C-alpha cells in the first residue's frame, strides 16, 4: 500500500511539473530569462517571419507555432505579465493563485474547451473550485513603420493600410459553401468520430499511467469537418482584407513610439481579436541630422581660412525647414573635430507620462570638419612659409 501511495504521489508531482513547464515562453522565443526588451522583440520578429501562416499555407504546425510565438511575445513584452510569469509561471497568468485572472484551461491540454485534466484531483483533495469558461484572446500584431526624422520633429498624421483577417463575408464565418445547407456541407470528423477529442495514454512513472483527453487536431476540437468549403476562405472562416488605420504622430515622439488599436488584429474563430501595435522608427536622417533621444547631431565642413580666421556666418537648415544661424568672430579659431552645442535647437521634448508635447527642446550638436587642401605649392606655399617664419613665436603661443 505504501508502494502504491508513493507512486501515486510521484506520478502526481510529475504531472504537476509537466503542466507547470508546459509552455516555456523564453524557450519558445529562443531567448534567455534575462533577455532585454529589444532582444525579445528581435527574436519575435524573426520567428513570426519564419512561421507566418501566409508563408506556410496548409501547414497546421506552422499555424499553431505562430499562435504560440505571439502568445509568448505578448507575455514577455509586457513588464507586468512578465513579472507574474517569472514568479508563478503560466498558471499565474491564467487565474491560479497569484495570477491576475484568465481563461480556462490555458496552459493545459484542451484549453478553451473547459477541460482541466487535474480538476477532479484538486477538487477532491484540496477542495478547489472549477473555473468558469472565458473567451481566450488572440495574439496581437506588431507593424513597424519607418517615417522621416522630420516627421518625428514636426508631428503629423498619415493613413496606414494593413492586411488583416476578418470573418469571411461570403460564408459569414461558417466556413462552408453557402450554396449548400449545413447538413450537406458539414460532416462528423472521421478521426475523433464527432467527439472533438482524442484520448492519449502514456506512462509517466513506474506503475502510473496518465490518460489525457486532447482536442482533436483534425477538426480543431469541433467534432465536425467541412465537406464543401467556402470558395473565399477555403473553410478557414476568415479571409484577408486590407484595412486603413489613421496614424497620428505627436511632435517629439520618441524612437519606437507605439500606437495601439484595441481588438483590431486578426480575427480567429472562438477567440477575441488581439491588438494591432504600430511601432514608429526613423527611416534615416533628414537635412544631415541624426537623432539621439532629444538631441540632434550633424557634421559641417568649413575651409582652412574659416577655421583659422573666423569672421563668418552660416545658416543651417532645421528639420522643420527653417534655419538657425551659427557664426564666428574674427580671429576665433575652430579646431578640426570640435563640437559645438546649440541649446534649444534639438527635438521637441515629448512627455510620455502626460502623453503630450512640451514647449521644451533638446540641444543641437554640430561637429566641425576642416577641409584641408591636398597639396600646397608655388607662390602660396612660399608666402605661407614666410608668414609662419615671421610670426613663428606668435603661433607657438596660440
Amino acid at each position: 500500500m505504501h508502494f502504491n501511495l508513493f507512486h501515486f504521489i510521484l506520478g502526481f508531482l510529475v504531472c504537476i511539473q509537466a503542466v507547470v513547464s508546459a509552455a516555456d515562453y523564453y524557450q519558445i522565443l529562443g531567448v534567455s530569462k534575462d533577455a532585454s526588451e529589444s532582444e525579445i522583440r528581435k527574436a519575435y520578429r524573426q520567428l513570426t517571419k519564419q512561421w507566418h501562416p501566409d508563408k506556410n499555407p496548409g501547414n497546421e504546425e506552422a499555424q499553431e507555432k505562430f499562435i504560440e510565438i505571439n502568445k509568448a511575445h505578448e507575455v514577455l513584452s509586457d513588464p507586468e505579465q512578465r513579472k507574474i510569469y517569472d514568479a508563478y509561471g503560466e498558471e499565474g497568468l491564467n487565474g491560479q493563485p497569484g495570477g491576475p485572472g484568465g481563461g480556462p484551461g490555458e496552459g493545459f491540454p484542451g484549453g478553451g474547451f473547459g477541460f482541466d485534466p487535474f480538476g477532479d484531483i484538486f477538487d477532491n483533495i484540496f477542495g478547489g473550485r472549477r473555473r468558469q469558461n472565458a473567451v481566450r484572446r488572440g495574439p496581437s500584431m506588431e507593424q513597424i513603420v519607418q517615417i522621416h526624422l522630420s516627421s518625428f520633429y514636426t508631428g503629423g498624421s498619415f493613413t496606414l493600410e494593413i492586411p488583416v483577417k476578418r470573418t469571411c463575408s461570403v460564408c459569414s464565418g461558417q466556413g462552408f459553401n453557402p450554396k449548400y445547407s449545413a447538413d450537406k456541407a458539414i460532416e462528423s470528423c472521421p478521426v475523433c468520430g464527432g467527439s472533438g477529442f482524442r484520448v492519449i495514454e502514456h506512462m509517466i512513472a513506474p506503475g502510473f499511467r496518465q490518460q489525457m483527453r486532447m482536442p482533436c487536431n483534425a477538426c480543431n476540437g469541433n467534432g465536425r469537418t467541412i465537406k464543401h468549403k467556402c470558395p473565399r476562405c477555403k473553410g478557414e472562416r476568415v479571409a484577408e482584407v486590407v484595412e486603413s488605420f489613421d496614424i497620428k504622430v505627436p511632435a517629439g515622439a520618441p524612437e519606437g513610439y507605439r500606437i495601439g488599436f484595441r481588438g483590431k488584429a486578426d480575427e480567429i474563430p472562438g477567440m477575441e481579436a488581439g491588438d494591432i501595435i504600430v511601432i514608429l522608427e526613423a527611416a534615416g536622417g533628414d537635412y544631415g541630422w541624426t537623432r539621439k533621444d532629444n538631441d540632434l547631431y550633424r557634421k559641417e565642413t568649413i575651409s582652412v581660412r574659416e577655421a583659422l580666421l573666423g569672421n563668418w556666418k552660416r545658416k543651417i537648415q532645421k528639420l522643420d525647414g527653417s534655419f538657425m544661424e551659427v557664426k564666428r568672430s574674427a580671429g576665433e579659431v575652430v579646431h578640426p573635430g570640435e563640437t559645438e552645442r546649440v541649446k534649444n535647437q534639438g527635438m521637441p521634448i515629448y512627455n510620455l507620462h502626460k502623453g503630450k508635447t512640451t514647449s521644451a527642446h533638446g540641444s543641437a550638436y554640430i561637429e566641425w570638419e576642416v577641409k584641408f587642401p591636398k597639396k600646397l605649392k608655388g607662390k602660396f606655399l612660399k608666402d605661407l612659409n614666410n608668414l609662419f617664419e615671421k610670426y613663428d613665436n606668435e603661433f607657438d603661443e596660440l
Side-chain angles (χ1 to χ4, degrees), residues 171 173-190 223-231 234-235 237:
C171 65
Q174 297 298 314
F176 60 84
N177 194 322
K179 293 182 179 180
Y180 298 88
S181 64
D183 293 339
K184 292 183 178 180
I186 300 176
E187 61 184 0
S188 294
C189 176
R224 301 176 299 168
T225 56
I226 301 174
K227 184 178 181 181
H228 301 288
K229 295 182 179 180
C230 171
K234 311 301 180 184
R237 299 167 62 186

Side-chain angles (χ1 to χ4, degrees), residues 6-23:
F6 168 77
H7 282 90
F8 173 79
I9 295 174
L10 175 62
F12 175 73
L13 293 175
V14 171
C15 292
I16 295 299
Q17 178 62 30
V19 171
V20 172
S21 60

Side-chain angles (χ1 to χ4, degrees), residues 320-336:
D320 60 359
S322 63
F323 291 85
M324 65 177 177
E325 185 178 82
V326 182
K327 59 184 179 179
R328 283 292 184 275
S329 302
E332 192 174 355
V333 178
V334 177
H335 298 274

